[in-house]
Amino acid sequence: MSFFWRELFDPREAESYGSRIQTLLFELIVVARAHYELWTWSKIIPLQPGIPKPAGIGRLIDVSFMIDSVAVNANAALTGTFMLLGLTQRLRWGYFLGFCGFHLQYVARFGLGKVQHSTNMLGFALLALAAAHLAYRDPVLRRKAAIGYTVLLFSLAYSLAAIAKLRARGFGWADGHHLWLWINEKRVDVISASGRPQMNMLQRAVLKSLPLATLMLFGGLAAEMCSALMWWRRVRRWTMLALAAMHLGIAYVMKIHFVPSVLILLSLGLPIAELIDFIRRKRATKIEDAAVNTNA
Amino acid sequence: MPTHGASGGDRADLPSVERRFKIVGCVLLAINLCAISIGDGEFWPFSKFPMFSRAGRPWKRAFVREVSAEELRQPLVEVAERELPGKPVALHHFHINQDDISAVVRTLKQPVSEEQAALLAQYFDRLRHDRTMVLYEAYGRFRSTDRSVRVRFLPRLIIGPDGVHDVVVIDPASVGAPTRIQADGGPHDAAATLPVDAGVQ
């Protein structure tokens, strides 16, 4: 297997207890967040005036039947159940069916002309889990493959985002004036949504300083341009944490929240496995020392 | 602290396991690239992720104000934020999504089409029976002089108990300026535009 593929998936490498827990945490976060989105959308969808501009599967089939509280709640319940069956390894097709149900709920929610991208990474994680469960029966291989496919899809997504920006404006995209324009746009959105103007300290600082605004944009673009590096295990953590930091910056300055993306990136990027393995080693060493002292 | 790798049966067939991973990975990549190649590049979760790529371009967003009958008797003209009449309507409180309404505002025709008027009347149905609102098109762009940001609010529609009506924005410089349609249906003469404001920057 070539180097690049082995960086994504190495079945020969033994899985530590910490890695197993970290992957389980990743799955729990994906399933929990998916449930949250499903039930949040199920409250909004029945209030919408139809699906005038269908997205996704809505372009191929009529999904207007979903603008109904019974249909949307039933879909949420069924989709959530399939995901739980996948999480507990009781149904091999669980994640795949959950992914399909989630897509249907998304299409029903975002059929008014504006698509939302904050759940795309969540969708990729679900798809990765679905592919891993369908490709393998062994739980260890499933966990490794799920992480590998998640990294594959994430790296492509963020690279495409960087390419889109560079195609549109080249490196001139990172001009701080552009961030000023966006902050004013988001300010209007905040007042429209909440009725009150709200600007935080960082937004005020950015609006006063063109170099700071430029630096923030440059940092975000650099993080996206380097996202393909997450294929390489040695720098995967840092790439993911840089992308998580980018999203946190966007949330604080632009008031645009990519919560699922941040949660998934942190669950995979933070040294959770290493910490768990370190604690277990320490405890094992203490027990051994205590046993030696007792015998002595 | 390694505990275990793949189970005994799979271990003997590792080349097949690796090959399967590559094949499925290539299929996922192919599906991804196909999905974003068709249509407008959006097929959740697959996307070209064009967000924020259109840097520096003017933007348009929806903005709703609740106005009184007294305020509606004054000319409805393009203004800066501090000159907006009425009081804000917190859309989130009524479960109306700002992105959804802004998507409609961006495509509003002049005059508004029947479909769009019906869509907005339905969207604001829970609010409009006991209040009159003006739907503004908020737009922002750079000034050509110093690239500071200029944000203006252009009244587009009046939404109230009697439905959705166009607002004809007055341009006093034009000859035979059109009359403005009020929420009560009666025409009124054109009035002077308020002084141009310097924007929010």
Side-chain angles (χ1 to χ4, degrees):
Chain A
M1 199 169 175
S2 71
F3 167 78
F4 291 109
W5 287 108
R6 191 160 290 135
E7 286 295 297
L8 285 183
F9 176 74
D10 190 352
R12 291 177 179 78
E13 191 186 30
E15 183 192 52
S16 72
Y17 181 80
S19 294
R20 190 174 163 190
I21 298 298
Q22 184 163 18
T23 311
L24 182 60
L25 179 67
F26 156 74
E27 277 194 69
L28 283 170
I29 283 172
V30 169
V31 171
R33 187 66 197 190
H35 274 80
Y36 171 80
E37 299 288 352
L38 283 166
W39 292 106
T40 303
W41 294 345
S42 70
K43 291 194 195 76
I44 300 171
I45 292 168
L47 302 174
Q48 291 178 179
I51 307 182
K53 292 188 180 173
I57 197 76
R59 289 199 198 116
L60 304 172
I61 61 171
D62 181 9
V63 294
S64 57
F65 68 91
M66 286 290 286
I67 308 297
D68 171 70
S69 61
V70 171
V72 82
N73 283 306
N75 186 58
L78 206 58
T79 301
T81 304
F82 282 135
M83 286 186 203
L84 287 171
L85 289 172
L87 175 68
T88 53
Q89 315 243 359
R90 291 198 201 292
L91 181 65
R92 194 172 180 186
W93 289 80
Y95 276 124
F96 179 77
L97 292 170
F99 172 79
C100 294
F102 198 91
H103 179 94
L104 186 61
Q105 197 90 338
Y106 177 92
V107 165
R109 170 65 188 91
F110 297 103
L112 290 167
K114 169 75 179 173
V115 292
Q116 181 217 56
H117 290 96
S118 66
T119 52
N120 285 60
M121 298 305 160
L122 183 64
F124 285 139
L126 276 171
L127 184 60
L129 285 162
H133 279 231
L134 290 174
Y136 303 105
R137 288 190 185 277
D138 180 78
V140 174
L141 291 177
R142 279 180 172 179
R143 284 193 289 270
K144 285 171 181 269
I147 301 300
Y149 291 140
T150 301
V151 170
L152 178 70
L153 293 168
F154 272 39
S155 61
L156 178 62
Y158 284 108
S159 297
L160 286 172
I163 290 168
K165 293 174 175 73
L166 291 172
R167 277 185 70 188
R169 301 297 293 234
F171 284 99
W173 180 90
D175 181 348
H177 291 102
H178 300 153
L179 187 54
W180 286 357
L181 193 59
W182 280 320
I183 289 176
N184 278 286
E185 180 183 359
K186 289 302 138 192
R187 187 174 173 280
V188 165
D189 282 345
V190 166
I191 300 172
S192 184
S194 69
R196 287 173 293 134
Q198 294 162 19
M199 273 235 192
N200 59 47
M201 206 166 59
L202 187 56
Q203 284 176 314
R204 280 192 222 103
V206 167
L207 285 174
K208 284 189 182 129
S209 167
L210 185 63
L212 179 59
T214 301
L215 185 66
M216 293 200 75
L217 286 184
F218 181 76
L221 181 61
E224 284 182 339
M225 284 171 62
C226 297
S227 58
L229 289 175
M230 71 168 82
W231 274 56
W232 190 14
R233 277 194 229 183
R234 211 169 260 203
V235 297
R236 180 174 298 166
R237 159 161 308 131
W238 305 111
T239 315
M240 287 187 159
L241 292 178
L243 289 167
M246 176 194 74
H247 281 304
L248 290 171
I250 290 171
Y252 206 50
V253 174
M254 302 275 292
K255 300 290 187 189
I256 298 172
H257 303 276
F258 286 80
V259 174
S261 306
V262 172
L263 289 174
I264 293 168
L265 286 166
L266 288 179
S267 72
L268 294 177
L270 289 173
I272 299 168
E274 287 83 348
L275 186 63
I276 292 172
D277 291 336
F278 173 77
I279 292 170
R280 279 170 60 89
R281 272 198 306 273
K282 278 286 181 193
R283 284 176 65 185
T285 309
K286 256 191 198 169
I287 292 168
E288 269 177 37
D289 288 346
V292 164
N293 289 338
T294 305
N295 288 340
Chain B
M1 186 181 279
T3 54
H4 56 280
S7 60
D10 290 328
R11 198 185 296 274
D13 199 18
L14 281 174
S16 163
V17 163
E18 289 167 346
R19 195 167 47 245
R20 202 182 314 163
F21 180 85
K22 272 198 267 187
I23 290 170
V24 173
C26 288
V27 167
L28 287 175
L29 284 176
I31 292 172
N32 196 337
L33 294 172
C34 286
I36 62 175
S37 302
I38 56 174
D40 56 359
E42 295 286 345
F43 199 99
W44 186 94
F46 310 107
S47 171
K48 288 178 185 170
F49 297 100
M51 317 85 83
F52 303 119
S53 61
R54 296 160 67 95
R57 298 218 188 160
W59 48 262
K60 285 184 190 175
R61 305 296 283 170
F63 201 80
V64 181
R65 300 284 286 191
E66 181 181 345
V67 292
S68 62
E70 184 63 40
E71 282 164 331
L72 271 182
R73 288 194 188 93
Q74 303 301 316
L76 283 175
V77 294
E78 182 180 312
V79 292
E81 186 186 339
R82 61 175 181 266
E83 292 154 343
L84 285 165
K87 56 185 182 182
V89 176
L91 298 182
H92 185 70
H93 180 69
F94 298 100
H95 301 292
I96 295 175
N97 186 270
Q98 166 70 357
D99 284 336
D100 292 341
I101 296 296
S102 296
V104 177
V105 161
R106 271 196 293 273
T107 59
L108 276 180
K109 299 185 176 74
Q110 186 76 34
V112 67
S113 68
E114 277 183 31
E115 290 85 11
Q116 287 177 324
L119 185 76
L120 287 167
Q122 195 178 348
Y123 222 124
F124 285 94
D125 195 52
R126 278 169 292 121
L127 284 87
R128 64 183 182 86
H129 294 291
D130 49 5
R131 57 173 62 78
T132 301
M133 298 166 286
V134 178
L135 175 65
Y136 283 84
E137 177 187 294
Y139 68 87
R141 57 176 63 123
F142 288 128
R143 288 192 182 78
S144 53
T145 46
D146 60 356
R147 295 197 88 195
S148 60
V149 178
R150 182 173 188 253
V151 180
R152 301 284 289 177
F153 295 80
L154 180 69
R156 293 300 308 271
L157 299 169
I158 296 170
I159 303 172
D162 56 347
V164 176
H165 303 281
D166 265 309
V167 169
V168 178
V169 179
I170 298 144
D171 178 6
S174 64
V175 175
T179 53
R180 179 172 51 82
I181 298 170
Q182 279 283 36
D184 61 7
H188 291 257
D189 292 332
T193 309
L194 289 171
V196 171
D197 136 272
V200 295
Q201 240 339 66

